[in-house]
Amino acid sequence: MDTTTLASPLTLPCGAVLANRIAKAAMSEQLSDRANSPTVRIDRLYERWAAGGSGLVITGNVMIDRRHVGEPRQVVVEDERDLPALRRWAAAGRANGTTLWVQVNHPGRQAMRIAGSRPVAPSAIAPRIPGAVTPQALTGAQIEEIVGRFARTAAVFREAGFDGVQLHGAHGYLISQFLSPLANRRDDEWGGDAARRQRFVLEVVRATRAAVGPDFPVGIKLNSADFQRGGFSEEESGDVVAALAAAGVDLIEISGGTYESPAMMGDATGTASSAAAASAAVPARASTRAREAYFLDYAVRVRDRAPDVPLMVTGGFRSAAAMREAVASGACNVIGLGRPLALHPDASAALLDGSRARIDAGSRSIGVRKLDSVIDLWWHTRQLHRIGRGREPWAGERALHTLATFLLVNGWGAARRKRGG
Ligand SMILES: Cc1cc2nc3c(=O)[nH]c(=O)nc-3n(C[C@H](O)[C@H](O)[C@H](O)COP(=O)(O)O)c2cc1C
C-alpha cells in the first residue's frame, strides 16, 4: 500500500526536494511599479505565503519582454537591472525554508495592447475574444530571440536566489499557442504537424535548462487540452508530456483552457464542463473521485507517459480528503491551490496537520456570465493586493465594487478578454 501523504517530501528528478505535496499555484499579482519592477508589496505577499506551510510557492507569471505584457503592473525581467529587488523578493518568499519558484511567460496574442507594439503569435490569427486584434506572425529569427529570453529571465531569477522556474505552457499564452493547431497554422519547422508544433516548447526547455544548469528545477504548466473543437487535444497533450519528460523537466503541472475557453477556472465560471461538452476533442468527464479537481482524471490517463516526472494537478481542489486521496492513489504527486490561498494564505499548514478539512475559495457574481469570470478573478487579485498592503484578506467585498476597481486598473478592454492567468 502506498503511504504517501500530503506531508511526504518529494524529490524531483534534478535532486531538489519539496517539503510536502501542497503547492501554491501561480496567481498574477499585478503588483509591480510603473516600470514593471517588483515592489515591497510583492515582498509582503510572499512573506505571508512563506509562513503558510506550502511545500512549493510559484509566483504569478513574470513577463520576459516589456513590449509584450499580459496585464497592467506585471513584473518584467529581461536582464539584471532589478537584481536587488528580486533578491528581496526571493528572501521574503523563501522565509521558513519555503521553496520559491518563478513562473515565466510570454503572452503572445493574449497580450494587452501597449502603444507602439502589436501582439505577436505563431500565426496572424486573432483569438476569438471580443475586441482582440490580429497578432503579427513571428519570423524564425524572432522565435529564436524569444527562446533566448525565456532562458535569460530564468537565469536572472536563479542568480537572485529563487529555487526554481516554471515555464507557463498553458492557458493560451505563447507556448500554448505554438502547441495549438488553431493558433499555429505555420508550415515551417515551428508548425505544420504535431511534432513541429512541439518544437517551440522543447527549444524553450532546452535553452532554459542550459542556462540554469542540471541541478536547478525546471517545471512547466501544461494544458490537458484547450477545450476547443480543433484545438490542442488530450491526445497531443499526452505526447507533449512524454516529450517534456524526455527533455528533462522536473515537474509538470496540469491545467487546461485558454482566454477563449477558460476551463482552468472550472465551476466558478461554469465553463470547464460546458467547454468539455462543446468539444468533441475532449473525452468523457471526471469520475466521481475526481469531480472536485477538474484535471485529475487526465493526470491518471497521462501518468504512464512520464513515469519518472512528478505531476501536479491544479484547479478545483478544496477538501483535504480529495487532496489526500489524489496523492495516496498516485493520481498526482503535488496538489496545486490557487484561489483558496488568495483568501487563506496560511491554510496549507492547517490542511497538512489535519486541523482543517476544507479550504474555501470564495467567489463573487453579479449574474452576468461574461463579467462574472472577470469579477471572480479580480476579487481574488484584490485579496493579494490587500495582503501586499499588510492587511488581511477580506471576503466581504461586494461584486460591484470589485468590478469598479477592475475597470479602474485594467480598463474596459480587459473586461472583455481577461479570463484566468
Ligand atoms: C487571480 C488569479 C491569477 C492567476 N494568474 C495565473 C498566472 O499568472 N499563471 C498561471 O499559470 N495561472 C494563473 N491563474 C490560474 C491558477 O494558477 C489556477 O490554475 C486556477 O486558479 C485554478 O485553481 P484553483 O481552483 O485552485 O483556483 C490565476 C488564477 C487567479 C484566480
Side-chain angles (χ1 to χ4, degrees), residues 26-28 61 103 168 221 264 314-316 318 338-339 377 381 421:
M27 282 185 284
S28 183
N61 62 154
Q103 185 185 63
H168 197 345
K221 188 163 184 170
M264 70 296 255
T314 302
R318 301 295 179 260
R339 288 163 289 179
L377 206 74
T381 310

Side-chain angles (χ1 to χ4, degrees), residues 365-395:
S365 134
I366 55 170
V368 180
R369 195 168 152 240
K370 283 220 148 97
L371 287 178
D372 280 348
S373 62
V374 169
I375 290 172
D376 184 65
L377 206 74
W378 185 247
W379 188 82
H380 288 93
T381 310
R382 297 268 296 163
Q383 307 300 341
L384 309 188
H385 292 183
R386 286 181 65 86
I387 301 170
R389 289 199 303 270
R391 300 166 75 178
E392 286 301 308
W394 181 51

Side-chain angles (χ1 to χ4, degrees), residues 48-113:
R48 192 67 194 271
W49 275 321
S54 305
L56 171 63
V57 170
I58 304 174
T59 71
N61 62 154
V62 166
M63 302 293 112
I64 60 173
D65 186 337
R66 60 187 65 253
R67 296 166 302 176
H68 302 284
V69 172
E71 297 158 358
R73 299 293 177 116
Q74 283 182 319
V75 174
V76 177
V77 172
E78 299 177 327
D79 51 36
E80 297 185 345
R81 79 184 75 167
D82 283 324
L83 211 42
L86 295 176
R87 289 205 166 106
R88 284 195 296 274
W89 184 3
R94 298 179 74 233
N96 306 309
T98 301
T99 295
L100 178 67
W101 289 12
V102 61
Q103 185 185 63
V104 292
N105 190 23
H106 188 301
R109 65 181 191 166
Q110 290 187 160
M112 71 180 195
R113 289 178 70 178

Side-chain angles (χ1 to χ4, degrees), residues 161-172:
F162 283 66
D163 297 297
V165 59
Q166 182 188 59
L167 306 168
H168 197 345
H171 302 175

Side-chain angles (χ1 to χ4, degrees), residues 297-320:
D297 267 11
Y298 168 78
V300 172
R301 287 194 289 276
V302 86
R303 175 71 284 176
D304 67 355
R305 305 298 306 272
D308 301 323
V309 180
L311 296 181
M312 167 171 161
V313 171
T314 302
F317 273 115
R318 301 295 179 260
S319 74

Side-chain angles (χ1 to χ4, degrees), residues 59-254:
T59 71
N61 62 154
V62 166
M63 302 293 112
I64 60 173
D65 186 337
R66 60 187 65 253
R67 296 166 302 176
H68 302 284
V69 172
E71 297 158 358
R73 299 293 177 116
Q74 283 182 319
V75 174
V76 177
V77 172
E78 299 177 327
D79 51 36
E80 297 185 345
R81 79 184 75 167
D82 283 324
L83 211 42
L86 295 176
R87 289 205 166 106
R88 284 195 296 274
W89 184 3
R94 298 179 74 233
N96 306 309
T98 301
T99 295
L100 178 67
W101 289 12
V102 61
Q103 185 185 63
V104 292
N105 190 23
H106 188 301
R109 65 181 191 166
Q110 290 187 160
M112 71 180 195
R113 289 178 70 178
I114 296 178
S117 77
R118 191 166 141 203
V120 293
S123 303
I125 300 168
R128 280 177 293 171
I129 302 166
V133 295
T134 302
Q136 206 153 19
L138 288 160
T139 64
Q142 287 172 323
I143 294 171
E144 305 274 4
E145 197 250 351
I146 294 173
V147 169
R149 280 179 179 271
F150 272 101
R152 192 155 49 254
T153 300
V156 173
F157 274 98
R158 177 173 187 158
E159 196 182 340
F162 283 66
D163 297 297
V165 59
Q166 182 188 59
L167 306 168
H168 197 345
H171 302 175
Y173 292 107
L174 188 63
I175 291 178
S176 146
Q177 287 160 34
F178 268 96
L179 290 170
S180 160
L182 290 178
N184 182 352
R185 303 270 178 80
R186 301 178 74 94
D187 193 16
D188 60 4
E189 60 268 51
W190 303 100
D193 55 33
R196 284 178 289 165
R197 284 195 297 275
Q198 283 181 13
R199 180 165 172 223
F200 181 70
V201 65
L202 295 176
E203 281 296 299
V204 171
V205 169
R206 184 197 52 72
T208 303
R209 174 60 76 202
V212 298
D215 57 343
F216 192 74
V218 176
I220 184 159
K221 188 163 184 170
L222 183 73
N223 275 358
S224 56
D226 283 353
F227 292 83
Q228 286 178 286
R229 188 169 284 113
F232 185 58
S233 66
E234 188 175 307
E235 193 188 346
E236 279 191 35
S237 176
D239 294 341
V240 175
V241 164
L244 289 168
V249 298
D250 290 292
L251 182 68
I252 301 176
E253 178 183 354
I254 306 294

